[in-house]
Amino acid sequence: MKLVTAAQMRAMETRAVDAGTPLAELMEQAGLAVAQEAWLSLGTVAGRRIVVLAGPGDNGGDGLVAARYLADWEAEVAVYLLRPRDETDVPYTQLCERDTKIILAADDKDYALLDSLLASAEIVIDALLGIGPRRAIEGALEAILQRVSHARQRSHPPTIIAVDLPTGVAADSGAADESSLRADITVTFGFAKVGLYLLPGSEFAGRVEVVDIGLPKSGQEDVRVELMSTAFVRERLPARAVSGNKGTFGRVLVVAGSRNYVGAARLCAEACYRAGAGLVTVACPASVQAMLAPALAEATWLPLADDDGEIDLAAVASILETLAACNVMLIGPGLGPSAGARQLVSALLSDVPASVRATVIDADGLNALAAQAGWEDRVAGACVLTPHPGEMARLLGTSVTEVQTDRLNIALGAAARWRQIVVLKGAHTIVAAADGRAAISPHANPLLATGGTGDVLAGAIAGLIAQGMAPFDAAVSGVYVHGLAAEELSQELGDGGLLASDLLPALPRAIRTIIKGPRQHGASAMPDLAAFSTFGLGRGVSE
């Protein structure tokens, strides 16, 4: 599903008008969609109490059209206007002709009338602000939002339906004012807005419904940002031929682990296998290999000389010799922060054989790059970098706050600058490519906020590349599978208590769900629609 910025959406609306579709017709379709969502939420609208909060712009106009439809369907509709509407405003005059109750905020000095409406409202439609420039939430607007929020605290709160965006949420970044209204449902038009799938905006959006309002197809090819989906991943997962063998499904060399970070090597290596790789070789200090071998019986090993518990720099030649027979290298998890580890990473990444499809760089591999100015010009071949916000901040020489404030543009800018695939981890992980493509994960789950989950993600991506997937597709698919695995585990565990190793057996189960749909229990079991819903919307945060 394509995600658009406010500028892209306005450009599409302009093209629609230039192509002969009146703006009033777009507004008519938008308002009808909102009214229909209210009907679906209530089951029937005749006699039901609905309050429409309408702003002064086109978003308010959409709300007025929705109010007209609901009034015609015999709902008890009241419209609360933030600002006066022009007497020539058609949606406004149509409501006046129907004797719809309309209250102007300026005439409700202490907001007693609004409080009275909200006390019995079953639906509140938020049509106060749209995708225009973000504005301060203050004055009457702030007072209205506070009263609606207060009404939500009653024992039987109204359902909040946001028109295009919840008021106070930025269309492009997902930034939200502290007074922003939390919607239960957001009905957004033409395309979902980027900010609905970035925190904190996604927490305010509730369930997002995207409705077609008749925008032309031209110009849609310019939209390069998409929401990750089951269909995208299903179409790209590598085929598993019954005649295949371990060589068919690729070989990964994992360069990871040190005395202080033994588990990292095991997590990423097993994740490669769980994602479907045929053979995984772990290059690690000999002392680490002795500890890990019993726990990872399936791997082959390249035990290396120790340098105080880390891989000795002299091992570079041996690693490169082994890498020549592999399809993918995964480097970084648990290597350690020493100068020697950084030199090892630099030496290996500058001499990757051309036969290697891509290198996945994670954790201490990224920290090693951050310590080397101009590293992007010395790295050989295609890479997938998987930084969390702290690692991204170090790579860019900026702060975590700056990274988190503008995640999408930060990821896209880094991918273009480094000419590589970037996976910016966190709630709604972003995968960005140098050519301007980006995909945002629908998953955001606090269950993943525990050490080692990033190692599992890196391994899943490497395992998919080993099977022949293009690096961008593998990164998107790995992120999606990883997030879905956590969503399925959350049905058993809740929001906390996950061990990163719990994700390992959950990865192939998530892949099975993507390919075949949610597992049914019993011959007469109905499809698990709740599980399907996790493909579109998620909660929480990643590592």
Side-chain angles (χ1 to χ4, degrees), residues 434-466:
D435 61 7
R437 288 177 295 161
I440 300 177
S441 172
H443 302 118
N445 194 323
L447 200 61
L448 290 172
T450 187
T453 57
D455 300 329
V456 175
L457 174 59
I461 294 171
L464 292 170
I465 296 173

PDB file of all heavy atoms in Angstrom, residues 434-466:
ATOM      1  N   ALA A 434      18.798   3.315  -1.994  1.00  0.00           N
ATOM      2  CA  ALA A 434      19.481   4.480  -2.552  1.00  0.00           C
ATOM      3  C   ALA A 434      18.685   5.138  -3.668  1.00  0.00           C
ATOM      4  O   ALA A 434      18.855   6.335  -3.942  1.00  0.00           O
ATOM      5  CB  ALA A 434      20.860   4.070  -3.067  1.00  0.00           C
ATOM      6  N   ASP A 435      17.803   4.386  -4.333  1.00  0.00           N
ATOM      7  CA  ASP A 435      17.026   4.943  -5.449  1.00  0.00           C
ATOM      8  C   ASP A 435      15.759   5.658  -4.992  1.00  0.00           C
ATOM      9  O   ASP A 435      14.947   6.071  -5.820  1.00  0.00           O
ATOM     10  CB  ASP A 435      16.678   3.840  -6.449  1.00  0.00           C
ATOM     11  CG  ASP A 435      15.814   2.722  -5.844  1.00  0.00           C
ATOM     12  OD1 ASP A 435      15.378   2.859  -4.681  1.00  0.00           O
ATOM     13  OD2 ASP A 435      15.582   1.708  -6.540  1.00  0.00           O
ATOM     14  N   GLY A 436      15.555   5.807  -3.684  1.00  0.00           N
ATOM     15  CA  GLY A 436      14.408   6.547  -3.180  1.00  0.00           C
ATOM     16  C   GLY A 436      13.233   5.699  -2.748  1.00  0.00           C
ATOM     17  O   GLY A 436      12.259   6.217  -2.201  1.00  0.00           O
ATOM     18  N   ARG A 437      13.320   4.393  -2.957  1.00  0.00           N
ATOM     19  CA  ARG A 437      12.249   3.512  -2.464  1.00  0.00           C
ATOM     20  C   ARG A 437      12.347   3.386  -0.950  1.00  0.00           C
ATOM     21  O   ARG A 437      13.442   3.416  -0.377  1.00  0.00           O
ATOM     22  CB  ARG A 437      12.362   2.127  -3.079  1.00  0.00           C
ATOM     23  CG  ARG A 437      11.992   2.018  -4.534  1.00  0.00           C
ATOM     24  CD  ARG A 437      12.230   0.596  -5.026  1.00  0.00           C
ATOM     25  NE  ARG A 437      13.650   0.248  -4.991  1.00  0.00           N
ATOM     26  CZ  ARG A 437      14.117  -0.995  -5.008  1.00  0.00           C
ATOM     27  NH1 ARG A 437      13.277  -2.020  -5.029  1.00  0.00           N
ATOM     28  NH2 ARG A 437      15.424  -1.219  -4.994  1.00  0.00           N
ATOM     29  N   ALA A 438      11.202   3.227  -0.322  1.00  0.00           N
ATOM     30  CA  ALA A 438      11.182   2.969   1.117  1.00  0.00           C
ATOM     31  C   ALA A 438       9.937   2.170   1.458  1.00  0.00           C
ATOM     32  O   ALA A 438       8.910   2.272   0.783  1.00  0.00           O
ATOM     33  CB  ALA A 438      11.215   4.266   1.914  1.00  0.00           C
ATOM     34  N   ALA A 439      10.050   1.372   2.501  1.00  0.00           N
ATOM     35  CA  ALA A 439       8.912   0.597   3.003  1.00  0.00           C
ATOM     36  C   ALA A 439       8.883   0.736   4.514  1.00  0.00           C
ATOM     37  O   ALA A 439       9.925   0.670   5.169  1.00  0.00           O
ATOM     38  CB  ALA A 439       9.023  -0.869   2.590  1.00  0.00           C
ATOM     39  N   ILE A 440       7.683   0.938   5.058  1.00  0.00           N
ATOM     40  CA  ILE A 440       7.506   1.122   6.497  1.00  0.00           C
ATOM     41  C   ILE A 440       6.756  -0.085   7.050  1.00  0.00           C
ATOM     42  O   ILE A 440       5.724  -0.503   6.508  1.00  0.00           O
ATOM     43  CB  ILE A 440       6.722   2.410   6.798  1.00  0.00           C
ATOM     44  CG1 ILE A 440       7.474   3.626   6.239  1.00  0.00           C
ATOM     45  CG2 ILE A 440       6.491   2.575   8.294  1.00  0.00           C
ATOM     46  CD1 ILE A 440       6.739   4.941   6.423  1.00  0.00           C
ATOM     47  N   SER A 441       7.276  -0.643   8.123  1.00  0.00           N
ATOM     48  CA  SER A 441       6.627  -1.809   8.727  1.00  0.00           C
ATOM     49  C   SER A 441       5.348  -1.395   9.443  1.00  0.00           C
ATOM     50  O   SER A 441       5.320  -0.391  10.150  1.00  0.00           O
ATOM     51  CB  SER A 441       7.570  -2.467   9.740  1.00  0.00           C
ATOM     52  OG  SER A 441       6.890  -3.476  10.467  1.00  0.00           O
ATOM     53  N   PRO A 442       4.285  -2.182   9.306  1.00  0.00           N
ATOM     54  CA  PRO A 442       3.069  -1.905  10.068  1.00  0.00           C
ATOM     55  C   PRO A 442       3.207  -2.327  11.528  1.00  0.00           C
ATOM     56  O   PRO A 442       2.390  -1.963  12.363  1.00  0.00           O
ATOM     57  CB  PRO A 442       2.014  -2.760   9.362  1.00  0.00           C
ATOM     58  CG  PRO A 442       2.786  -3.918   8.823  1.00  0.00           C
ATOM     59  CD  PRO A 442       4.116  -3.343   8.411  1.00  0.00           C
ATOM     60  N   HIS A 443       4.250  -3.098  11.837  1.00  0.00           N
ATOM     61  CA  HIS A 443       4.391  -3.660  13.173  1.00  0.00           C
ATOM     62  C   HIS A 443       5.161  -2.733  14.098  1.00  0.00           C
ATOM     63  O   HIS A 443       6.168  -2.143  13.715  1.00  0.00           O
ATOM     64  CB  HIS A 443       5.119  -5.011  13.110  1.00  0.00           C
ATOM     65  CG  HIS A 443       4.426  -6.011  12.249  1.00  0.00           C
ATOM     66  ND1 HIS A 443       4.995  -6.552  11.128  1.00  0.00           N
ATOM     67  CD2 HIS A 443       3.189  -6.556  12.332  1.00  0.00           C
ATOM     68  CE1 HIS A 443       4.156  -7.396  10.576  1.00  0.00           C
ATOM     69  NE2 HIS A 443       3.038  -7.409  11.278  1.00  0.00           N
ATOM     70  N   ALA A 444       4.663  -2.638  15.319  1.00  0.00           N
ATOM     71  CA  ALA A 444       5.342  -1.894  16.370  1.00  0.00           C
ATOM     72  C   ALA A 444       4.938  -2.563  17.671  1.00  0.00           C
ATOM     73  O   ALA A 444       3.796  -2.457  18.096  1.00  0.00           O
ATOM     74  CB  ALA A 444       4.925  -0.428  16.348  1.00  0.00           C
ATOM     75  N   ASN A 445       5.865  -3.285  18.276  1.00  0.00           N
ATOM     76  CA  ASN A 445       5.487  -4.198  19.343  1.00  0.00           C
ATOM     77  C   ASN A 445       6.469  -4.103  20.501  1.00  0.00           C
ATOM     78  O   ASN A 445       7.660  -4.369  20.312  1.00  0.00           O
ATOM     79  CB  ASN A 445       5.464  -5.625  18.784  1.00  0.00           C
ATOM     80  CG  ASN A 445       4.761  -6.604  19.705  1.00  0.00           C
ATOM     81  OD1 ASN A 445       4.865  -6.510  20.921  1.00  0.00           O
ATOM     82  ND2 ASN A 445       4.051  -7.553  19.115  1.00  0.00           N
ATOM     83  N   PRO A 446       6.027  -3.758  21.704  1.00  0.00           N
ATOM     84  CA  PRO A 446       6.943  -3.653  22.841  1.00  0.00           C
ATOM     85  C   PRO A 446       7.571  -4.985  23.221  1.00  0.00           C
ATOM     86  O   PRO A 446       8.571  -5.018  23.934  1.00  0.00           O
ATOM     87  CB  PRO A 446       6.041  -3.119  23.963  1.00  0.00           C
ATOM     88  CG  PRO A 446       4.661  -3.505  23.579  1.00  0.00           C
ATOM     89  CD  PRO A 446       4.630  -3.455  22.085  1.00  0.00           C
ATOM     90  N   LEU A 447       7.014  -6.087  22.738  1.00  0.00           N
ATOM     91  CA  LEU A 447       7.595  -7.390  23.010  1.00  0.00           C
ATOM     92  C   LEU A 447       9.021  -7.482  22.467  1.00  0.00           C
ATOM     93  O   LEU A 447       9.852  -8.232  22.985  1.00  0.00           O
ATOM     94  CB  LEU A 447       6.713  -8.475  22.374  1.00  0.00           C
ATOM     95  CG  LEU A 447       6.848  -9.907  22.896  1.00  0.00           C
ATOM     96  CD1 LEU A 447       6.499  -9.981  24.380  1.00  0.00           C
ATOM     97  CD2 LEU A 447       5.935 -10.832  22.098  1.00  0.00           C
ATOM     98  N   LEU A 448       9.309  -6.704  21.406  1.00  0.00           N
ATOM     99  CA  LEU A 448      10.627  -6.751  20.775  1.00  0.00           C
ATOM    100  C   LEU A 448      11.665  -5.886  21.483  1.00  0.00           C
ATOM    101  O   LEU A 448      12.831  -5.872  21.075  1.00  0.00           O
ATOM    102  CB  LEU A 448      10.520  -6.309  19.310  1.00  0.00           C
ATOM    103  CG  LEU A 448       9.799  -7.285  18.381  1.00  0.00           C
ATOM    104  CD1 LEU A 448       9.591  -6.649  17.008  1.00  0.00           C
ATOM    105  CD2 LEU A 448      10.573  -8.592  18.252  1.00  0.00           C
ATOM    106  N   ALA A 449      11.255  -5.176  22.508  1.00  0.00           N
ATOM    107  CA  ALA A 449      12.176  -4.277  23.208  1.00  0.00           C
ATOM    108  C   ALA A 449      13.021  -5.057  24.213  1.00  0.00           C
ATOM    109  O   ALA A 449      12.917  -4.888  25.422  1.00  0.00           O
ATOM    110  CB  ALA A 449      11.395  -3.166  23.907  1.00  0.00           C
ATOM    111  N   THR A 450      13.859  -5.936  23.673  1.00  0.00           N
ATOM    112  CA  THR A 450      14.728  -6.757  24.518  1.00  0.00           C
ATOM    113  C   THR A 450      15.980  -7.107  23.732  1.00  0.00           C
ATOM    114  O   THR A 450      15.955  -7.175  22.495  1.00  0.00           O
ATOM    115  CB  THR A 450      13.992  -8.037  24.979  1.00  0.00           C
ATOM    116  OG1 THR A 450      14.796  -8.734  25.913  1.00  0.00           O
ATOM    117  CG2 THR A 450      13.657  -8.951  23.818  1.00  0.00           C
ATOM    118  N   GLY A 451      17.081  -7.297  24.441  1.00  0.00           N
ATOM    119  CA  GLY A 451      18.351  -7.530  23.778  1.00  0.00           C
ATOM    120  C   GLY A 451      18.361  -8.773  22.915  1.00  0.00           C
ATOM    121  O   GLY A 451      17.837  -9.823  23.295  1.00  0.00           O
ATOM    122  N   GLY A 452      18.977  -8.665  21.748  1.00  0.00           N
ATOM    123  CA  GLY A 452      19.143  -9.799  20.855  1.00  0.00           C
ATOM    124  C   GLY A 452      18.155  -9.890  19.725  1.00  0.00           C
ATOM    125  O   GLY A 452      18.386 -10.628  18.761  1.00  0.00           O
ATOM    126  N   THR A 453      17.042  -9.153  19.798  1.00  0.00           N
ATOM    127  CA  THR A 453      16.054  -9.254  18.718  1.00  0.00           C
ATOM    128  C   THR A 453      16.607  -8.692  17.413  1.00  0.00           C
ATOM    129  O   THR A 453      16.232  -9.143  16.332  1.00  0.00           O
ATOM    130  CB  THR A 453      14.744  -8.543  19.093  1.00  0.00           C
ATOM    131  OG1 THR A 453      15.006  -7.177  19.404  1.00  0.00           O
ATOM    132  CG2 THR A 453      14.088  -9.206  20.295  1.00  0.00           C
ATOM    133  N   GLY A 454      17.505  -7.713  17.519  1.00  0.00           N
ATOM    134  CA  GLY A 454      18.138  -7.184  16.313  1.00  0.00           C
ATOM    135  C   GLY A 454      19.056  -8.196  15.655  1.00  0.00           C
ATOM    136  O   GLY A 454      19.176  -8.244  14.422  1.00  0.00           O
ATOM    137  N   ASP A 455      19.737  -9.032  16.452  1.00  0.00           N
ATOM    138  CA  ASP A 455      20.571 -10.099  15.893  1.00  0.00           C
ATOM    139  C   ASP A 455      19.714 -11.076  15.101  1.00  0.00           C
ATOM    140  O   ASP A 455      20.115 -11.552  14.029  1.00  0.00           O
ATOM    141  CB  ASP A 455      21.293 -10.844  17.019  1.00  0.00           C
ATOM    142  CG  ASP A 455      22.203  -9.949  17.842  1.00  0.00           C
ATOM    143  OD1 ASP A 455      22.742  -8.978  17.282  1.00  0.00           O
ATOM    144  OD2 ASP A 455      22.354 -10.214  19.045  1.00  0.00           O
ATOM    145  N   VAL A 456      18.540 -11.388  15.622  1.00  0.00           N
ATOM    146  CA  VAL A 456      17.625 -12.293  14.920  1.00  0.00           C
ATOM    147  C   VAL A 456      17.186 -11.670  13.598  1.00  0.00           C
ATOM    148  O   VAL A 456      17.130 -12.352  12.562  1.00  0.00           O
ATOM    149  CB  VAL A 456      16.408 -12.625  15.801  1.00  0.00           C
ATOM    150  CG1 VAL A 456      15.390 -13.464  15.030  1.00  0.00           C
ATOM    151  CG2 VAL A 456      16.848 -13.358  17.066  1.00  0.00           C
ATOM    152  N   LEU A 457      16.869 -10.381  13.605  1.00  0.00           N
ATOM    153  CA  LEU A 457      16.459  -9.717  12.364  1.00  0.00           C
ATOM    154  C   LEU A 457      17.574  -9.755  11.328  1.00  0.00           C
ATOM    155  O   LEU A 457      17.334 -10.073  10.153  1.00  0.00           O
ATOM    156  CB  LEU A 457      16.058  -8.270  12.655  1.00  0.00           C
ATOM    157  CG  LEU A 457      15.752  -7.405  11.422  1.00  0.00           C
ATOM    158  CD1 LEU A 457      14.607  -8.005  10.614  1.00  0.00           C
ATOM    159  CD2 LEU A 457      15.431  -5.970  11.834  1.00  0.00           C
ATOM    160  N   ALA A 458      18.792  -9.446  11.739  1.00  0.00           N
ATOM    161  CA  ALA A 458      19.919  -9.459  10.795  1.00  0.00           C
ATOM    162  C   ALA A 458      20.079 -10.848  10.179  1.00  0.00           C
ATOM    163  O   ALA A 458      20.320 -10.990   8.971  1.00  0.00           O
ATOM    164  CB  ALA A 458      21.198  -9.032  11.503  1.00  0.00           C
ATOM    165  N   GLY A 459      19.946 -11.891  11.014  1.00  0.00           N
ATOM    166  CA  GLY A 459      20.058 -13.247  10.500  1.00  0.00           C
ATOM    167  C   GLY A 459      18.948 -13.604   9.530  1.00  0.00           C
ATOM    168  O   GLY A 459      19.183 -14.273   8.518  1.00  0.00           O
ATOM    169  N   ALA A 460      17.728 -13.159   9.825  1.00  0.00           N
ATOM    170  CA  ALA A 460      16.611 -13.439   8.923  1.00  0.00           C
ATOM    171  C   ALA A 460      16.836 -12.804   7.560  1.00  0.00           C
ATOM    172  O   ALA A 460      16.583 -13.425   6.519  1.00  0.00           O
ATOM    173  CB  ALA A 460      15.310 -12.935   9.547  1.00  0.00           C
ATOM    174  N   ILE A 461      17.319 -11.563   7.552  1.00  0.00           N
ATOM    175  CA  ILE A 461      17.584 -10.887   6.275  1.00  0.00           C
ATOM    176  C   ILE A 461      18.675 -11.620   5.500  1.00  0.00           C
ATOM    177  O   ILE A 461      18.549 -11.862   4.292  1.00  0.00           O
ATOM    178  CB  ILE A 461      17.972  -9.420   6.526  1.00  0.00           C
ATOM    179  CG1 ILE A 461      16.778  -8.648   7.113  1.00  0.00           C
ATOM    180  CG2 ILE A 461      18.452  -8.755   5.231  1.00  0.00           C
ATOM    181  CD1 ILE A 461      17.137  -7.247   7.601  1.00  0.00           C
ATOM    182  N   ALA A 462      19.749 -11.989   6.182  1.00  0.00           N
ATOM    183  CA  ALA A 462      20.834 -12.708   5.510  1.00  0.00           C
ATOM    184  C   ALA A 462      20.350 -14.045   4.957  1.00  0.00           C
ATOM    185  O   ALA A 462      20.715 -14.443   3.843  1.00  0.00           O
ATOM    186  CB  ALA A 462      21.992 -12.919   6.486  1.00  0.00           C
ATOM    187  N   GLY A 463      19.527 -14.750   5.723  1.00  0.00           N
ATOM    188  CA  GLY A 463      19.015 -16.030   5.258  1.00  0.00           C
ATOM    189  C   GLY A 463      18.161 -15.913   4.015  1.00  0.00           C
ATOM    190  O   GLY A 463      18.187 -16.792   3.142  1.00  0.00           O
ATOM    191  N   LEU A 464      17.406 -14.829   3.903  1.00  0.00           N
ATOM    192  CA  LEU A 464      16.578 -14.617   2.714  1.00  0.00           C
ATOM    193  C   LEU A 464      17.428 -14.238   1.502  1.00  0.00           C
ATOM    194  O   LEU A 464      17.166 -14.693   0.381  1.00  0.00           O
ATOM    195  CB  LEU A 464      15.531 -13.541   3.000  1.00  0.00           C
ATOM    196  CG  LEU A 464      14.454 -13.944   4.023  1.00  0.00           C
ATOM    197  CD1 LEU A 464      13.604 -12.740   4.414  1.00  0.00           C
ATOM    198  CD2 LEU A 464      13.572 -15.067   3.483  1.00  0.00           C
ATOM    199  N   ILE A 465      18.448 -13.404   1.708  1.00  0.00           N
ATOM    200  CA  ILE A 465      19.345 -13.062   0.600  1.00  0.00           C
ATOM    201  C   ILE A 465      20.048 -14.312   0.092  1.00  0.00           C
ATOM    202  O   ILE A 465      20.237 -14.501  -1.120  1.00  0.00           O
ATOM    203  CB  ILE A 465      20.369 -12.001   1.043  1.00  0.00           C
ATOM    204  CG1 ILE A 465      19.674 -10.688   1.396  1.00  0.00           C
ATOM    205  CG2 ILE A 465      21.402 -11.748  -0.075  1.00  0.00           C
ATOM    206  CD1 ILE A 465      20.605  -9.642   2.008  1.00  0.00           C
ATOM    207  N   ALA A 466      20.451 -15.193   0.996  1.00  0.00           N
ATOM    208  CA  ALA A 466      21.143 -16.424   0.604  1.00  0.00           C
ATOM    209  C   ALA A 466      20.319 -17.244  -0.365  1.00  0.00           C
ATOM    210  O   ALA A 466      20.858 -17.947  -1.233  1.00  0.00           O
ATOM    211  CB  ALA A 466      21.471 -17.248   1.843  1.00  0.00           C
TER     212      ALA A 466
END
